[in-house]
Amino acid sequence: MKNYLITGGAGFIGTNFIRHALTARPDWNIVNLDALTYAGNPANLENLDPGIAGRYHFVRGDICDATLLDSLFSKYIFNGIIHFAAESHVDRSIQGPEDFAQTNVMGTFRLLEACRKFRKDKKMSDEFRFLHISTDEVYGSLGPDGYFAEQTPYDPSSPYSASKASSDHFVKAYFRTYGLPTLVTNCSNNYGPYQFPEKLIPLTILNIIKEKPLPVYGDGKNIRDWLYVLDHCDALITVLEKGTPGETYNIGGGAERENIEIVHLLCDLVDDRLGRSGDKSGRWLIQFVTDRPGHDRRYAIDATKIKTDLGWTSARTLEDALESTVDWYLNNMEWVDSVQSGEYRKWIKQNYQHRGVNS
Ligand code: NAD
Ligand code: DAU
């Protein structure tokens, strides 16, 4: 059996990754280290099939806690780390950047230090990999043409992307300086099951269902390159198993859309499922609101390297995967109610009241 340490596995992508990996890799034991911030939900992983549940272990804790990391590295001989844990929401980073510096930069540093010690103690096998999950936002904003390639210079705009950029630099420096076998992936916007409803797609789906305003920042023409989360999970296993240490791989869905197009698509999908039309259509709920400061205009990934070198491409079309995402939320309203807690309502008020959303 192989032991993998997953950080931030109770969040959106981590949950999907753990569910996917436990099934796709029957020889993996997974230790999920998660601090359970507002974005982490251990219930996401509570109803695993009995056939795979025995290979999943949850540890509540902070990646900044060096003592806890030491104890985990003493208890387990890890074959690798897949590092998701982060503060991940751009709007929250604008309102409160400190947690982003702490978790994203210092937390990554602590994990790298724990790995360096593990290696010094001669416990690290040749196949060990430190897979750092990063974002296309580190590259900044594109104009109407061009794509982010692995050699695009970093130019982050928000405290979130600045903290991720910094963590990427630490990871790459530990490869160059100490020879730690690291891999970095820079991925575009994910969507799918278990995404916390503060991000555009789940927030829009739930607001349409509940007939609440659909806040669209600025003119709604900012472009994101959308990737279905399970395609991302496939890509991550590919990079972990086939990637070359020290390398970076960009991961994208090849599905660029303006935000307003995404909102229109979601309105049509939910209307269809709930049999709404005319003046009951979700499109009547759209409100253009005050823009995000420093709002990047366009992201688009050039995924040639991961395709050519490792043979990965995204499998699902945006339209099909959005439809199944809408169905997942409609079928999991209990999960939705459980995450829309007091803390969630406080955030919605804090982020949208000053933007002039009439709720
Ligand atoms: P998320 O916010 O849904 O989940 C983050 C998880 O990390 C939560 O479970 C939280 O409890 C945990 N966490 C936060 N601080 C921690 C700490 N100090 N110690 C331990 N655990 C902590 O995030 P996500 O959307 O699943 O993103 C996962 C990773 O992927 C992040 O590193 C993010 O930067 C990156 N990423 C996300 C996207 C996207 O579209 N969601 C795209 C590209 C890259
Ligand atoms: O590109 C990858 C990044 O994608 C990840 O690194 C981040 O962790 C993830 O949160 C995501 O960042 P974005 O800022 O692109 O995602 P968000 O869902 O917050 O916003 C998507 C777009 O929609 C963006 O242009 C802002 C806009 N938006 C967002 C919200 C929440 C709105 O117009 N209205 C909204 O209410």
Side-chain angles (χ1 to χ4, degrees), residues 2 12 28 33 51 62 66-67 84 120 153 173 181 187 208 243 284 292:
K2 296 177 179 179
F12 161 50
W28 282 26
L33 172 63
D62 193 325
T67 312
F84 294 98
K120 217 165 130 205
C187 182
I208 303 170
W284 289 105
R292 171 187 281 175

Side-chain angles (χ1 to χ4, degrees), residues 88 105 114 187 216 228 245 264 340 347:
S88 72
V105 185
C187 182
V216 176
Y228 188 56
H264 283 157
Q340 289 184 325
W347 164 253

Side-chain angles (χ1 to χ4, degrees), residues 136-155:
D136 58 0
E137 300 204 10
V138 297
Y139 298 121
S141 187
L142 288 166
D145 301 315
Y147 295 89
F148 296 135
E150 286 77 2
Q151 57 280 8
T152 302
Y154 277 26
D155 186 21

Side-chain angles (χ1 to χ4, degrees), residues 19 26 44-45 55 59 73 99 118 171-172 182-183 209 215 220 235 278 281 299 314:
R19 287 180 164 274
N44 292 353
L45 291 154
R55 292 185 282 112
V59 177
F73 276 85
D99 288 348
F118 183 63
V171 173
K172 291 176 195 187
T182 60
L183 295 156
I209 295 171
S281 165
Y299 301 147
S314 68

Side-chain angles (χ1 to χ4, degrees), residues 102-335:
Q102 184 61 21
T103 286
N104 300 1
V105 185
M106 282 310 292
T108 302
F109 165 73
R110 291 279 172 234
L111 281 169
L112 289 164
E113 279 293 277
C115 288
R116 191 158 77 91
K117 181 163 182 296
F118 183 63
R119 189 157 185 258
K120 217 165 130 205
D121 293 345
K122 306 209 178 317
K123 292 184 185 164
M124 189 180 280
S125 65
D126 288 346
E127 73 162 89
F128 184 95
R129 297 288 181 268
F130 184 108
L131 173 54
H132 176 64
I133 316 302
S134 192
T135 170
D136 58 0
E137 300 204 10
V138 297
Y139 298 121
S141 187
L142 288 166
D145 301 315
Y147 295 89
F148 296 135
E150 286 77 2
Q151 57 280 8
T152 302
Y154 277 26
D155 186 21
S157 304
S158 69
Y160 163 68
S161 50
S163 67
K164 291 297 287 187
S166 171
S167 66
D168 293 8
H169 289 317
F170 268 101
V171 173
K172 291 176 195 187
Y174 271 59
F175 171 76
R176 286 199 203 160
T177 307
Y178 304 113
L180 205 73
T182 60
L183 295 156
V184 176
T185 56
N186 294 88
C187 182
S188 63
N189 286 61
N190 283 220
Y191 63 98
Y194 300 102
Q195 187 167 28
F196 193 74
E198 64 184 357
K199 308 278 171 78
L200 180 70
I201 287 183
L203 178 98
T204 302
I205 295 172
L206 296 179
N207 283 10
I208 303 170
I209 295 171
K210 298 191 174 183
E211 299 179 83
K212 291 186 171 172
L214 311 180
V216 176
Y217 296 170
D219 63 4
K221 291 186 184 297
N222 298 67
I223 292 175
R224 297 292 181 266
D225 172 357
W226 293 97
L227 175 68
Y228 188 56
V229 65
L230 289 174
D231 281 339
H232 185 197
C233 294
D234 265 341
L236 293 176
I237 292 198
T238 304
V239 172
L240 183 78
E241 294 179 344
K242 297 191 192 163
T244 304
E247 292 291 315
T248 292
Y249 297 90
N250 281 358
I251 307 174
E256 283 184 58
R257 297 288 189 282
E258 289 180 350
N259 292 336
I260 191 66
E261 288 181 72
I262 293 289
V263 173
H264 283 157
L265 266 170
L266 292 172
C267 289
D268 297 348
L269 283 167
V270 177
D271 283 353
D272 178 63
R273 288 296 189 268
L274 299 184
R276 291 180 184 160
S277 60
D279 63 0
K280 283 280 164 203
S281 165
R283 290 189 185 214
W284 289 105
L285 300 167
I286 294 170
Q287 277 184 23
F288 290 92
V289 301
T290 309
D291 208 351
R292 171 187 281 175
H295 195 179
D296 288 333
R297 192 64 173 169
R298 173 172 168 255
Y299 301 147
I301 287 276
D302 174 354
T304 307
K305 180 175 174 182
I306 188 170
K307 182 177 179 190
T308 311
D309 292 4
L310 310 183
W312 178 87
T313 44
S314 68
R316 280 84 161 180
T317 66
L318 176 78
E319 283 69 18
D320 285 353
L322 265 190
E323 196 172 330
S324 59
T325 302
V326 164
D327 286 338
W328 187 87
Y329 280 93
L330 282 167
N331 293 328
N332 287 277
M333 290 306 283
E334 262 179 45
W335 179 89

